[in-house]
Amino acid sequence: MLAIIQAQATHLRAGEITAKRISDITPTYRITLTTYTDQINGVQANEGANSVKFWFGVTGVPLYDVKRTKKFLINAGTMCNVYDTTFTFPAQGRYTITCGISNRNANTVNLQGPTDQISFFVETTILVNGSLGMNNTPVLLNIPVDTAGVGKRYIHNPGAFDADGDSLSYRLTAPKRDFGDGTGKGGFAAGYIDPANIGDNRLAEDGSPSSFRIDAITGDLIWDAPGRLPVNQYQVNVAFIVEEWRKGENGSYTKIGEITRDMQIIVVETPNKRPILSVPAPICVEAGQKIDFKVRAIDPDNNRVKITTNSGVYNVTPEGTNIEYVAPNPAQFAPLNAIQSSPAEGTFTWETNCKHVREQPYDVLFKVEDYPGRTSVQLTDIKTVRIRVIPPRPIGLNARNTERGVELRWQQYPNCNIPDDKATIVVYRKEGCSNFIPAQCQVGLPAALGFVEVARVSVKDTFYLDTQAQNGVIYSYSIVALLSTSDFVSIPSVPSNEACIGSEIPQRAPVITNVSVDKTDAATGEITVKWSRPLGFDANETKGPYSYKLYRTTGISGGIFQLVATIPTNVLATAADTVFVDKGLNTVTNGYTYKVAFLYEGEKVLAESQVASSVRLTVSSDAQRVRLSWQANVPWSNDNRRHLIYRQSKTNPSVYHIIAEVGVEAVNTYSYIDDGIDRYEADGVNTIDMKVDTSYCYKVETVGAYIRLPQFGLLRNFSQVMCGTPIDNTPPCPPTLTINELDCENLDKELMCQTSSVSNVLSWSTPVSSAGIVCRNDIIRYNIYYSRYKDETPKILAAVDRPTPPDTRFTHTKSIEEGFAGCYYITAVNSLNIESGASAIICKDNCATVEMPNVFTPNGDGKNDTFSPMRCSAFIKQIDIEVYNRYGLKVYESGGSNILSWDGKNASGADLPTGTYYYVSRVTIHRLDKNDETPTTIKGWVELIR
């Protein structure tokens, strides 16, 4: 056990321990303690924490006094402190490094108090094992200082980066405390409460019960959403563990370490809405390809925002110093640390190379924080983009039969600038041709295809001679590059193209030219299949009767073929016997693959065509756009052509307009994003505004050709029809709010005294655009926020979600004593549960005066029997009164309540005679501003008549 002890309070907010091996000969590590301390309430304590003591649980090793090596401000409220030293472990083994520091902050609501008497305790475990190679713990690049808002989804991600490329996983734990200075041991702090169980109104942003969780894969710590306590601000302490797993020689994973981060989350009541980030889906590229994408942010309140990012791919530490986490060149992001108007965007670029290849993806964290002004609390949103870099695939594979064997040739593999023993080309072979088309970043060859490894050659080679191939057998070859990233891990590339020997459109075999979807339906779909007559057919060589047999299998990657039709033929060019319309298919869900056999003398097979599939279109939703991608498994080439995109007309569903002609190269470029713009003007311009939650239907026409059979010309085939719906993650516009006015001069005093309540009537409208941006109008709810006083943070008062669409009017009924005083604002919520920014805050105050009558008649007739304010108790918080007769003697007094109702009796309960009486009253009125709620003295006279 290694312990780090500090005796003085530092008002710790967060911290963790990391370890980096600094020798490849001895198990020597640099051990670093990083803490984040409260710079507002804990400055004095932190200034005194210039050193700590590291204790190593090894006999004969003394205590080390270690100075703080650096400290730097993260922001105005947080200081980062770094303590580190080196230590050589005496032997292989598993070591747990611990750190106990006194004390935590006071008033933490989810630990058993007093919390400023609970120590701060973190621990890190490392496995020192020579057989597993060098081992460094991950570094946590994202600083834990963001604030949470009540009812707002909170996300933190540690930004963990493992320079060794080990796999990381995440799990929750509970905060710990140490068992005493010098022990190096600790246990869970007493009374820990899950943050999801704290406060009232514990609801997530989507209305479901609140939850506190961590994503085991991405490390996103999500609190959706903090509950409400009867204070404007509170804090919780939480902890989670980052586990480190290493892949061994046998392919299994061994846990080699873990880090605990203990952190504090400050929760505030705020009307500010958190900004929203939009990032791309996970990305996979082959080394050598450039990554370039946009990160966008929008703030529902139209506040300015700043987009920041961290990851090991930038080679920058949290404090901004350069370090080499990845091989050059690192990624770039621009603009860096710029405050922009909403909506804002930044651009991520990375020129990848082979040294960036690793088995685990790179996590790139993006954060947006808003700038709501000095009176509001900043909120954030965090999203992570996972980037996987794999070896570049070998290209240009071709095969040729020779007398010596099958010659394979391919293009020179990219110069990866890595040692020769770290890169290999693996040659695979199988009988038959599968026409396998790998998906993007689908590394290696699936075992189900039946490929067998036949050789390994240097990555510098471009030739291999297969002398074991048998004459007359159809073979398919593919090659895969294999790059080693450690002693135990080798990463395969996407396989090269297949090269078939003995299958190059055999003589006397039919040639499939079309597999085109004519009708898209789940039960009555249709596909037209066309083929040629047998190439080089000579009737003198074979005898009839002749026929074609058409076979089909479900899917576009091959499988077990079933006979669809037998078509007799006389092999005449004038006969329409090379076309078949396959009906009764489920073309909505399935693609289909076909092959054609030519038979003679009844059932003798002369030759079979190569297999060819239908075009399969995939559609996915995007923000105000629809993404399309397509593929087909065919013997001809659809590469380096221009494919056509069709979109269905909304006014005439039987018509499909060409909206784009897409230039494609390899299979992974078969994609298009429809943003509504018609980029193909030859058939007219049919640009549309893409509407959210509206379905748009598409089909694709591929264009291809047989390279060695130019007589067939261009081959055009249609995909099935596929529909997609754009989504819109922009919020509605902030509503425009009005409230009924209060006319104090003409207020009906008698009517007010007949009721016990008053009402504020709110009405509103929602603009169609804000700051030049068209807003969503699919509003399902309006949230009404209210604060009694103008300097308080409004809290949600009610939600208006009926009828459909919801009403734009709300009546807030209040007690007559409290009156009209209060402030309101309103937000709109759309069908994706995205809340708009706040409307303008509108406040209403009570009438500031109290009027007293000058006569009353306490005769028991129920009319004017008491001396009371003209508006009864309306707006009165407290009223005290002293009544004097004409001789200056006090005859009555009351106070301590908001009601005055003198019935003309003295303090003993006896009736006072008719006459003039004088009073001094001190009245406090419920006001909008607390500072205005001061007693006002009112002097006057009243005539008592019996």
Side-chain angles (χ1 to χ4, degrees):
M1 302 286 285
L2 162 66
I4 306 168
I5 305 99
Q6 180 178 336
Q8 303 301 319
T10 57
H11 294 276
L12 280 154
R13 292 190 62 183
E16 68 265 351
I17 302 170
T18 57
K20 176 180 175 62
R21 185 160 176 174
I22 58 176
S23 171
D24 57 1
I25 299 174
T26 62
T28 302
Y29 284 77
R30 178 169 296 280
I31 299 166
T32 302
L33 165 67
T34 304
T35 64
Y36 303 93
T37 50
D38 184 350
Q39 190 65 7
I40 296 176
N41 301 309
V43 176
Q44 183 176 358
N46 196 50
E47 287 299 317
N50 290 317
S51 65
V52 295
K53 291 186 177 181
F54 287 13
W55 176 68
F56 308 96
V58 179
T59 303
V61 177
L63 293 173
Y64 276 59
D65 284 320
V66 181
K67 293 183 179 180
R68 178 166 48 193
T69 56
K70 66 177 71 171
K71 64 176 181 177
F72 54 93
L73 280 173
I74 299 302
N75 54 38
T78 306
M79 178 74 76
C80 180
N81 310 275
V82 178
Y83 309 83
D84 63 16
T85 189
T86 60
F87 181 73
T88 301
F89 290 95
Q92 295 190 135
R94 189 177 297 272
Y95 296 88
T96 298
I97 309 166
T98 67
C99 166
I101 303 177
S102 303
N103 288 324
R104 296 178 183 268
N105 280 359
N107 303 317
T108 300
V109 300
N110 70 326
L111 296 178
Q112 182 175 306
T115 59
D116 56 354
Q117 297 180 21
I118 302 174
S119 58
F120 177 88
F121 186 89
V122 289
E123 56 191 352
T124 288
T125 299
I126 60 172
L127 178 63
V128 179
N129 188 331
S131 64
L132 291 175
M134 302 280 281
N135 177 21
N136 305 293
T137 66
V139 290
L140 308 187
L141 299 176
N142 189 31
I143 297 168
V145 296
D146 297 323
T147 302
V150 171
K152 316 288 196 300
R153 188 171 187 256
Y154 170 83
I155 305 176
H156 169 74
N157 188 295
F161 179 79
D162 192 281
D164 303 325
D166 294 317
S167 178
L168 302 180
S169 63
Y170 304 82
R171 61 184 174 89
L172 289 173
T173 185
K176 289 186 174 183
R177 64 180 303 165
D178 70 352
F179 291 151
D181 290 345
T183 66
K185 299 179 181 180
F188 293 116
Y192 174 74
I193 301 173
D194 187 316
N197 297 325
I198 294 174
D200 299 324
N201 298 324
R202 298 192 303 270
L203 295 176
E205 285 187 342
D206 63 1
S208 61
S210 176
S211 65
F212 182 78
R213 63 191 187 278
I214 193 166
D215 189 302
I217 297 175
T218 66
D220 283 342
L221 181 74
I222 301 173
W223 188 1
D224 192 5
R228 178 172 288 108
L229 291 177
V231 291
N232 284 334
Q233 176 176 311
Y234 65 90
Q235 67 196 32
V236 300
N237 269 97
V238 300
F240 59 88
I241 293 173
V242 184
E243 297 180 330
E244 183 183 12
W245 300 80
R246 177 157 297 180
K247 189 175 183 179
E249 190 172 8
N250 62 357
S252 62
Y253 284 85
T254 299
K255 184 177 175 182
I256 61 172
E258 63 180 38
I259 295 177
T260 298
R261 168 171 274 185
D262 188 307
M263 59 180 283
Q264 186 177 88
I265 304 174
I266 296 175
V267 183
V268 296
E269 185 82 49
T270 175
N272 187 21
K273 303 295 180 295
R274 65 181 181 91
I276 299 171
L277 265 179
S278 296
V279 300
I283 294 171
C284 180
V285 297
E286 297 180 22
Q289 293 179 335
K290 180 180 180 180
I291 302 173
D292 190 330
F293 62 81
K294 299 286 188 184
V295 174
R296 295 180 171 86
I298 188 168
D299 188 85
D301 301 318
N302 288 322
N303 294 319
R304 295 183 303 158
V305 297
K306 181 171 71 174
I307 303 174
T308 57
T309 178
N310 59 61
S311 171
V313 301
Y314 298 114
N315 282 350
V316 177
T317 67
E319 62 183 294
T321 58
N322 294 327
I323 188 173
E324 188 170 305
Y325 290 129
V326 299
N329 288 321
Q332 303 291 327
F333 183 78
L336 192 61
N337 295 322
I339 299 175
Q340 307 178 62
S341 297
S342 174
E345 71 175 24
T347 302
F348 175 93
T349 56
W350 190 17
E351 296 278 2
T352 62
N353 60 59
C354 290
K355 290 189 176 181
H356 298 144
V357 171
R358 69 177 197 172
E359 186 174 43
Q360 299 302 319
Y362 296 92
D363 288 333
V364 183
L365 183 146
F366 295 94
K367 179 170 76 172
V368 58
E369 55 186 325
D370 63 3
Y371 285 77
R374 299 177 62 183
T375 59
S376 293
V377 176
Q378 285 181 287
L379 296 180
T380 63
D381 188 22
I382 287 177
K383 287 186 171 62
T384 301
V385 177
R386 310 203 89 191
I387 299 176
R388 188 180 179 201
V389 182
I390 62 173
R393 76 182 77 188
I395 59 175
L397 177 65
N398 61 74
R400 185 171 71 92
N401 262 323
T402 69
E403 293 181 356
R404 299 186 303 156
V406 178
E407 290 184 353
L408 301 179
R409 298 184 185 274
W410 57 91
Q411 294 182 22
Q412 178 68 56
Y413 196 71
N415 181 12
C416 282
N417 196 26
I418 57 178
D420 292 348
D421 62 348
K422 297 294 185 181
T424 305
I425 297 291
V426 184
V427 182
Y428 292 91
R429 182 187 66 204
K430 65 168 286 187
E431 291 190 14
C433 292
S434 64
N435 293 306
F436 170 64
I437 299 175
Q440 184 178 9
C441 283
Q442 183 179 357
V443 298
L445 285 161
L449 294 176
F451 279 93
V452 176
E453 180 182 330
V454 295
R456 295 193 176 204
V457 299
S458 168
V459 75
K460 296 181 179 179
D461 288 334
T462 59
F463 172 83
Y464 176 72
L465 177 66
D466 184 8
T467 60
Q468 302 302 311
Q470 300 180 21
N471 289 331
V473 178
I474 296 176
Y475 289 112
S476 179
Y477 292 88
S478 185
I479 58 176
V480 173
L482 205 60
L483 267 60
S484 297
T485 57
S486 72
D487 293 339
F488 312 119
V489 179
S490 294
I491 313 298
S493 70
V494 174
S496 71
N497 60 292
E498 285 188 31
C500 286
I501 284 292
S503 64
E504 298 91 344
I505 315 298
Q507 290 296 309
R508 300 180 294 179
V511 176
I512 295 180
T513 57
N514 293 90
V515 181
S516 189
V517 179
D518 299 327
K519 181 180 179 181
T520 302
D521 192 89
T524 62
E526 297 180 5
I527 293 178
T528 294
V529 184
K530 297 181 181 179
W531 60 93
S532 74
R533 288 160 184 78
L535 295 180
F537 175 74
D538 186 348
N540 295 321
E541 296 179 358
T542 59
K543 297 179 181 180
Y546 303 110
S547 64
Y548 299 108
K549 285 188 181 289
L550 179 66
Y551 296 88
R552 178 188 69 219
T553 186
T554 302
I556 66 171
S557 297
I560 300 175
F561 284 86
Q562 302 291 333
L563 179 64
V564 175
T566 301
I567 306 168
T569 179
N570 55 14
V571 204
L572 296 177
T574 57
D577 53 11
T578 58
V579 177
F580 183 81
V581 179
D582 196 8
K583 300 181 179 181
L585 304 174
N586 180 0
T587 51
V588 173
T589 304
N590 302 321
Y592 294 92
T593 302
Y594 297 85
K595 67 178 180 178
V596 179
F598 179 71
L599 287 76
Y600 69 99
E601 294 184 13
E603 292 297 324
K604 294 182 179 180
V605 178
L606 181 64
E608 283 188 355
S609 72
Q610 291 179 296
V611 300
S613 79
S614 59
V615 183
R616 193 70 192 157
L617 173 63
T618 302
V619 172
S620 60
S621 300
D622 203 342
Q624 284 87 35
R625 305 181 299 180
V626 175
R627 291 180 176 268
L628 287 73
S629 60
W630 58 96
Q631 60 177 326
N633 184 1
V634 293
W636 60 86
S637 174
N638 287 323
D639 296 347
N640 301 306
R641 300 285 180 180
R642 302 190 69 80
H643 298 185
L644 299 177
I645 311 297
Y646 293 75
R647 184 176 62 216
Q648 185 184 47
S649 169
K650 282 296 181 183
T651 57
N652 188 354
S654 64
V655 174
Y656 282 78
H657 299 291
I658 302 175
I659 59 170
E661 192 176 29
V662 182
V664 300
E665 296 176 358
V667 172
N668 57 2
T669 65
Y670 290 14
S671 62
Y672 180 72
I673 298 176
D674 181 24
D675 56 3
I677 298 175
D678 188 342
R679 295 178 172 83
Y680 186 87
E681 299 181 358
D683 66 342
V685 177
N686 295 281
T687 295
I688 62 173
D689 290 327
M690 302 288 282
K691 296 181 179 179
V692 176
D693 301 330
T694 298
S695 180
Y696 298 91
C697 298
Y698 305 85
K699 62 182 177 181
V700 172
E701 183 182 10
T702 60
V703 180
Y706 282 102
I707 305 302
R708 299 182 182 180
L709 299 172
Q711 65 268 33
F712 292 114
L714 294 179
L715 309 179
R716 298 178 178 272
N717 292 277
F718 282 98
S719 72
Q720 89 283 12
V721 173
M722 192 72 178
C723 302
T725 302
I727 59 174
D728 184 359
N729 57 6
T730 59
C733 290
T736 301
L737 176 64
T738 60
I739 191 169
N740 61 321
E741 294 184 359
L742 174 61
D743 185 354
C744 291
E745 292 184 3
N746 299 309
L747 197 63
D748 189 330
K749 304 177 182 63
E750 184 176 350
L751 180 62
M752 285 198 66
C753 291
Q754 293 175 2
T755 181
S756 61
S757 63
V758 296
S759 296
N760 286 328
V761 180
L762 285 68
S763 58
W764 58 88
S765 62
T766 304
V768 297
S769 64
S770 177
I773 300 174
V774 176
C775 303
R776 291 185 61 141
N777 59 8
D778 55 332
I779 296 170
I780 62 169
R781 183 174 74 252
Y782 293 100
N783 290 337
I784 299 167
Y785 294 82
Y786 164 76
S787 65
R788 170 60 188 82
Y789 295 100
K790 71 176 186 178
D791 58 351
E792 290 182 342
T793 300
K795 300 179 180 180
I796 192 162
L797 172 68
V800 179
D801 57 4
R802 296 287 186 275
T804 303
D807 279 337
T808 57
R809 183 181 175 91
F810 176 78
T811 300
H812 184 200
T813 301
K814 307 175 64 182
S815 70
I816 191 171
E817 291 80 16
E818 189 177 51
F820 301 97
C823 293
Y824 301 85
Y825 73 80
I826 187 170
T827 62
V829 181
N830 64 24
S831 60
L832 295 181
N833 213 47
I834 298 175
E835 191 171 14
S836 74
S839 69
I841 296 178
I842 294 182
C843 298
K844 195 172 179 180
D845 204 354
N846 290 320
C847 300
T849 60
V850 174
E851 297 179 54
M852 307 293 278
N854 57 14
V855 63
F856 74 114
T857 57
N859 54 18
D861 64 355
K863 297 180 180 180
N864 203 26
D865 282 336
T866 61
F867 176 61
S868 300
M870 299 286 285
R871 292 195 299 261
C872 312
S873 59
F875 318 148
I876 295 177
K877 187 173 186 178
Q878 181 170 318
I879 184 167
D880 304 327
I881 195 168
E882 296 175 351
V883 181
Y884 299 85
N885 62 19
R886 61 181 178 172
Y887 303 109
L889 297 176
K890 185 191 297 185
V891 296
Y892 176 80
E893 68 176 339
S894 69
S897 76
N898 66 330
I899 297 175
L900 170 61
S901 184
W902 180 38
D903 57 3
K905 298 179 185 297
N906 63 17
S908 301
D911 289 340
L912 291 169
T914 296
T916 301
Y917 292 85
Y918 302 88
Y919 63 85
V920 178
S921 178
R922 286 169 298 279
V923 183
T924 303
I925 298 175
H926 285 285
R927 298 298 303 277
L928 179 65
D929 189 335
K930 284 184 179 180
N931 295 325
D932 293 336
E933 292 185 344
T934 56
T936 299
T937 299
I938 303 174
K939 297 180 180 180
W941 58 269
V942 61
E943 190 76 21
L944 188 158
I945 301 175
R946 293 194 179 272

